[in-house]
Amino acid sequence: MDIYTALEHLRAFILTHDLPRTEMAMFGIRCPYCGKSDRIRELETPEYLAGVLEAEDIETYANLWQRLGSMSALLGVCKFCRNPVQLFSDPPHAEAIDDSP
C-alpha cells in the first residue's frame, strides 16, 4: 500500500472510530495543512486502544500506525481539517506525513 492510500485509510479510520478518544489539545502546534494552532490532538497508540476497539480494528490500526509512524515522531490529527500529522517534540511541531526517510 502506498503512503497516500495508507493516509486515506488512517483518515477514514480516525473518522469512523472517533479518534482520538482524549480531547487534550496540543497548544502552540500549528497544523501543516490548515494552519490552525489549537486543534492538534495526539492519536492513541494501538496498545492503548486494546480492549476499547475490536481486535480486527486494532490490527488494522496497528498496521497503519507502523506504516505511517516513525521512530522520532508520534501520530496526531488536526480536529479541524481531520488530516493525520506527525508530531515532533524537540522543538514541538507537526509535519505532514510523507514518504521521505
Side-chain angles (χ1 to χ4, degrees), residues 1-7 33 67-70 86 95-101:
M1 163 181 338
D2 73 19
I3 192 157
Y4 303 106
T5 303
L7 278 169
Y33 296 102
R67 170 69 174 99
L68 298 171
S70 76
Q86 285 185 320
E95 292 181 9
I97 300 171
D98 62 19
D99 55 358
S100 59

Side-chain angles (χ1 to χ4, degrees), residues 28-92:
I29 297 179
R30 185 172 302 280
C31 176
Y33 296 102
C34 70
K36 296 281 186 185
S37 62
D38 60 344
R39 308 289 262 176
I40 301 294
R41 308 287 194 273
E42 184 179 328
L43 287 172
E44 294 92 346
T45 63
E47 295 80 20
Y48 182 85
L49 294 174
V52 176
L53 300 179
E54 299 292 323
E56 184 178 306
D57 291 334
I58 292 293
E59 184 178 342
T60 299
Y61 186 59
N63 289 335
L64 291 168
W65 185 275
Q66 182 179 15
R67 170 69 174 99
L68 298 171
S70 76
M71 295 293 245
S72 60
L74 297 172
L75 291 180
V77 64
C78 176
K79 292 293 272 188
F80 182 77
C81 68
R82 301 295 204 177
N83 282 306
V85 296
Q86 285 185 320
L87 299 172
F88 296 88
S89 60
D90 192 26

